[in-house]
């Protein structure tokens, strides 16, 4: 590790299934950014949503990262281990009157029209609720929140009218991702968040929480998402297969190509470590600037082995 730099990056997968090609792109981009900035690169398993977790997924994800040649710094961390800290922050926000109980059920909100970013909570419970079961929402305001994404440029959102007061503690008692990610990124000193563009619209909520909590705002670097030939984001939902574990090189090279990086023919016979050395030395993220989606080769979608056997 180079101690003269303060760059700290991370990859933060949720254990909802094995890594697929889309997650490889996010992992690779964040790794390349960290290593080409002589920074640290952390792995955090975002395991705070047991209903969505798949048994064995964490082990498979870590195995795949290892086989694909990722070398993380320090121990892998688990978001679930930080629950007391997350709950303390919820309490703090309630105490400061910046968060409140919301007793609205899904049915109560069924009629709320969806805007471009989804349903905007109309604030029904801002003045209180008697409901025995409730979520906790954070109170938003309507000033314009601006930030400049390293790849996607200037972004602006008015939270109150575009996203609404959002949930930080779910009705089922689970911490919401939007809060956990902000706390853990701050606690781990993450200086730049590299992740898929599907989270770009959630970022103003993260920045808002950072401001309320007096945390530094990291740089944000949202990479385009990989799409299949139907134009659907590669994900477990769209049936993206797990990465093959027996021979990682073809998929790793395909990932670098999808990220717009050169992969000279001789790399096909290089070791994984040499592929990474080359990719880090040549990393040019500017080719991704302003792109929202990336094509990927058909054969990356038809991996013969899904790593679940
Ligand atoms: N855990 C999230 C996911 O797997 C990523 C969160 C993030 O990078 O901020 O989609």
């Amino acid at each position: 590790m180079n101690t003269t730099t303060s760059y700290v990056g991370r990859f933060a997968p949720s254990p909802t299934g094995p890594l697929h090609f889309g997650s490889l792109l996010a992992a690779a981009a964040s790794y390349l950014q960290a290593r080409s900035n002589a920074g640290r690169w952390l792995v955090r398993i975002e395991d705070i949503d047991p209903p969505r977790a798949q048994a064995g997924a964490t082990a498979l994800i870590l195995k795949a990262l290892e086989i694909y040649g990722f070398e993380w710094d320090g121990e892998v961390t688990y978001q679930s281990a930080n629950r007391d800290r997350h709950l303390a922050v919820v309490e703090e926000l309630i105490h400061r009157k910046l968060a409140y109980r919301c007793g609205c059920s899904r049915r109560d909100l069924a009629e709320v029209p969806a805007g471009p970013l989804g349903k905007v909570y109309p604030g029904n419970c801002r003045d209180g609720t008697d409901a025995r079961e409730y979520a906790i929402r954070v109170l938003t305001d309507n000033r314009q929140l601006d930030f400049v994404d390293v790849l996607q440029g200037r972004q602006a959102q008015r939270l109150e009218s575009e996203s609404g007061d959002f949930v930080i503690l779910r009705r089922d008692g689970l911490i919401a991702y939007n809060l956990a990610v902000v706390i853990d990124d701050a606690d781990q000193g993450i200086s730049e968040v590299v992740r898929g563009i599907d989270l770009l619209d959630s970022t103003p909520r993260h920045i808002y929480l950072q401001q309320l909590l007096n945390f530094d705002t990291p740089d944000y670097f949202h990479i385009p998402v990989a799409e299949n030939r139907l134009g659907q984001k590669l994900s477990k939902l769209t049936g993206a297969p797990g990465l093959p574990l027996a021979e990682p090189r073809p998929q790793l090279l395909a990932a670098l190509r999808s990220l717009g990086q050169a992969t000279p023919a001789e790399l096909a016979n290089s070791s994984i470590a040499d592929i990474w050395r080359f990719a880090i030395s040549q990393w040019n993220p500017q080719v991704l600037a302003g792109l929202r989606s990336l094509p990927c080769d058909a054969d990356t979608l038809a991996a013969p082995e899904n790593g679940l056997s």
Side-chain angles (χ1 to χ4, degrees):
M1 185 191 117
N2 179 337
T3 48
T4 61
T5 174
S6 53
Y7 188 105
V8 186
R10 52 51 158 197
F11 177 55
S14 304
T16 52
L19 288 188
H20 53 73
F21 190 75
S23 22
L24 177 61
L25 293 183
S30 71
Y31 192 60
L32 290 164
Q33 260 301 92
R35 292 299 186 231
S36 63
N37 282 290
R40 287 166 55 76
W41 188 73
L42 313 181
V43 173
R44 180 174 75 228
I45 302 291
E46 300 210 317
D47 56 345
I48 51 165
D49 194 352
R52 287 187 58 230
Q54 190 186 88
T58 296
L60 271 177
I61 289 171
L62 295 176
K63 182 98 211 144
L65 288 175
E66 230 176 276
I67 289 176
Y68 279 74
F70 291 92
E71 292 177 1
W72 53 88
D73 292 296
E75 299 288 320
V76 170
T77 57
Y78 292 84
Q79 192 155 54
S80 57
N82 221 10
R83 182 172 163 86
D84 288 350
R85 162 95 167 119
H86 300 155
L87 287 172
V89 171
V90 172
E91 285 306 318
E92 175 194 330
L93 291 171
I94 294 173
H95 182 74
R96 291 170 58 199
K97 307 230 178 311
L98 292 168
Y100 61 90
R101 291 179 182 185
C102 169
C104 296
S105 65
R106 219 174 270 255
R107 197 184 309 152
D108 294 331
L109 300 175
E111 306 290 302
V112 175
L117 305 179
K119 289 191 184 226
V120 176
Y121 180 66
N124 302 359
C125 296
R126 275 188 169 186
D127 296 325
T129 174
D130 299 331
R132 284 223 308 264
E133 282 185 31
Y134 49 83
I136 304 290
R137 289 183 187 268
V138 70
L139 192 65
T140 57
D141 62 36
N142 220 25
R143 83 201 133 90
Q144 178 160 299
L145 260 174
D146 284 312
F147 72 102
V148 179
D149 187 86
V150 177
L151 284 184
Q152 306 298 334
R154 182 166 296 282
Q155 312 292 319
Q157 205 181 101
R158 291 185 190 275
L159 286 184
E160 188 176 11
S161 55
E162 295 182 66
S163 315
D165 296 347
F166 55 97
V167 170
I168 52 175
L169 182 67
R170 293 167 24 175
R171 240 169 121 80
D172 59 8
L174 296 175
I175 297 287
Y177 156 74
N178 285 321
L179 180 68
V181 72
V182 163
I183 297 172
D184 293 1
D185 283 341
D187 287 0
Q188 293 187 295
I190 302 300
S191 63
E192 183 171 75
V193 170
V194 178
R195 62 185 175 196
I197 201 171
D198 47 322
L199 289 163
L200 184 65
D201 290 337
S202 304
T203 306
R205 279 171 263 179
H206 302 166
I207 294 175
Y208 180 68
L209 287 172
Q210 287 152 3
Q211 293 176 352
L212 293 184
L213 295 166
N214 240 336
F215 294 161
D216 289 340
T217 290
D219 290 336
Y220 285 100
F221 185 114
H222 284 90
I223 65 159
V225 286
E227 286 186 349
N228 64 21
R229 275 175 298 176
L230 300 174
Q232 300 164 319
K233 177 195 163 188
L234 284 195
S235 70
K236 209 178 110 181
L237 285 179
T238 58
L243 291 172
L245 301 181
E247 171 48 280
R249 282 178 297 185
Q251 298 267 329
L252 180 56
L253 291 169
L256 293 171
R257 276 194 295 278
S258 263
L259 291 170
Q261 309 300 303
T263 55
E266 58 274 20
L267 284 186
N269 300 315
S270 303
S271 66
I272 289 280
D274 282 341
I275 294 175
W276 278 120
R277 254 190 293 281
F278 177 84
I280 292 163
S281 71
Q282 300 295 309
W283 172 234
N284 172 18
Q286 278 321 312
V287 298
L288 300 171
L291 294 182
R292 299 191 71 91
S293 65
L294 293 173
C296 47
D297 317 348
D299 55 343
T300 59
L301 304 177
E305 178 201 342
N306 69 7
L308 279 173
S309 50

